[in-house]
């Protein structure tokens, strides 16, 4: 086992909170709805908030399919999409990600009633999207290397709370699907989670 060091010599890509909800009809079925929320406090593209919802992940259409992006920093969101979201296994290759409609985020409202419930509501002129996490478990720390991170290229540090139930809604319509289980970080976890103080680091190149 390699020796742990107190300071990672790599480059910090971004830091912030990054909850996610991934829904499907059955444990082995395709994703029916996906949602992630980024509240970024530090990045090369500045600070910002972004909510991405794919109501029909495999359909190449925007708002009509509830495939939407609400953001108050478009440059930051493009950076997150290119280097991170598009590489996440659940989002990789999804037609809805390229086709989603973009909307200027006007406000975000957080309802924090942990551990019972945590709700994020994002509003733009044409669309409102809501992510609700329920029955959250005990927090646990996560530290992964590129071999096991979602992008395959970064170190990642975070505090996770998994949610036993969750829902996604766009303009008042609840999207199809439910939380299921998956193998994540070497353990069985639900497909909905609250990720706090998440930090992604590009490792120092060898040589």
């Amino acid at each position: 086992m390699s020796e742990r060091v107190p300071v990672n010599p790599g480059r910090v890509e971004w830091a912030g909170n990054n909850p996610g909800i991934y829904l499907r009809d059955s444990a082995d079925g395709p994703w029916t709805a996906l949602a992630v929320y980024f509240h970024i406090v530090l990045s090369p593209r500045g600070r910002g908030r972004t909510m991405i919802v794919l109501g029909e992940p495999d359909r190449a259409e925007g708002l009509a399919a509830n495939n939407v992006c609400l953001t108050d920093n478009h440059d930051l969101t493009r950076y997150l999409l290119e280097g991170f979201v598009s590489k996440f296994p659940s989002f990789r290759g999804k037609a809805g990600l390229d086709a989603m409609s973009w909307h200027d985020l006007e406000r975000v409202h957080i309802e924090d009633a942990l551990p019972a419930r945590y709700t994020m509501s994002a509003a733009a002129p044409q669309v409102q999207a809501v992510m609700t996490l329920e029955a959250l478990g005990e927090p646990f720390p996560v530290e992964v290397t590129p071999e096991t991170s979602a992008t395959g290229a970064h170190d990642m540090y975070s505090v996770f709370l998994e949610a036993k139930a969750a829902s996604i809604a766009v303009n008042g319509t609840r999207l199809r699907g439910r939380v299921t289980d998956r193998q994540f970080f070497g353990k069985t976890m639900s497909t909905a989670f609250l990720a706090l103080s998440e930090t992604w680091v590009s490792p120092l190149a060898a040589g």
Side-chain angles (χ1 to χ4, degrees):
M1 183 176 179
S2 61
E3 183 181 354
R4 293 170 63 96
V5 296
V7 177
N8 188 320
R11 182 182 69 248
V12 175
E13 298 293 349
W14 59 268
N17 296 337
N18 181 214
I21 301 175
Y22 307 156
L23 305 178
R24 49 191 172 195
D25 289 330
S26 61
D28 58 351
W31 299 116
T32 57
L34 302 168
V36 286
Y37 173 67
F38 294 89
H39 181 186
I40 304 299
V41 298
L42 175 70
S43 86
R45 304 295 190 274
R47 303 161 65 97
R49 299 168 299 174
T50 296
M51 185 177 288
I52 294 169
V53 175
L54 301 185
E56 296 186 52
D58 297 309
R59 181 177 166 188
E61 196 162 354
L63 183 57
N66 290 321
N67 295 328
V68 296
C69 173
L70 294 80
T71 179
D72 59 10
N73 184 334
H74 286 240
D75 187 40
L76 171 61
T77 300
R78 286 189 288 269
Y79 167 77
L80 293 171
L81 283 167
E82 180 180 348
F84 299 90
V85 180
S86 65
K87 300 180 187 303
F88 292 171
S90 299
F91 286 84
R92 192 178 300 147
K94 295 302 181 185
L97 195 62
D98 291 331
M100 63 185 178
S101 59
W102 288 58
H103 304 267
D104 291 327
L105 180 64
E106 292 186 334
R107 64 186 180 277
V108 172
H109 179 65
I110 304 291
E111 293 184 13
D112 181 350
L114 290 173
R117 176 188 291 253
Y118 192 91
T119 300
M120 298 141 285
S121 300
Q126 290 182 281
V127 61
Q128 180 178 29
V130 181
M131 298 170 60
T132 302
L133 302 159
E134 298 181 278
L136 289 103
E138 291 293 319
F140 61 93
V142 170
E143 177 182 353
V144 297
T145 59
E147 294 76 18
T148 52
S149 77
T151 63
H154 300 88
D155 295 324
M156 188 275 284
Y157 311 90
S158 189
V159 175
F160 271 72
L161 296 82
E162 63 173 322
K164 293 300 184 183
S167 63
I168 309 165
V170 176
N171 288 339
T173 298
R174 182 167 173 162
L175 303 184
R176 193 179 115 211
R178 59 182 177 84
V179 170
T180 58
D181 288 331
R182 61 172 172 167
Q183 291 301 306
F184 200 47
F185 303 135
K187 61 184 291 186
T188 300
M189 283 182 56
S190 77
T191 56
F193 54 89
L194 180 58
L196 303 174
S197 302
E198 187 161 300
T199 302
W200 290 76
V201 177
S202 290
L204 185 68

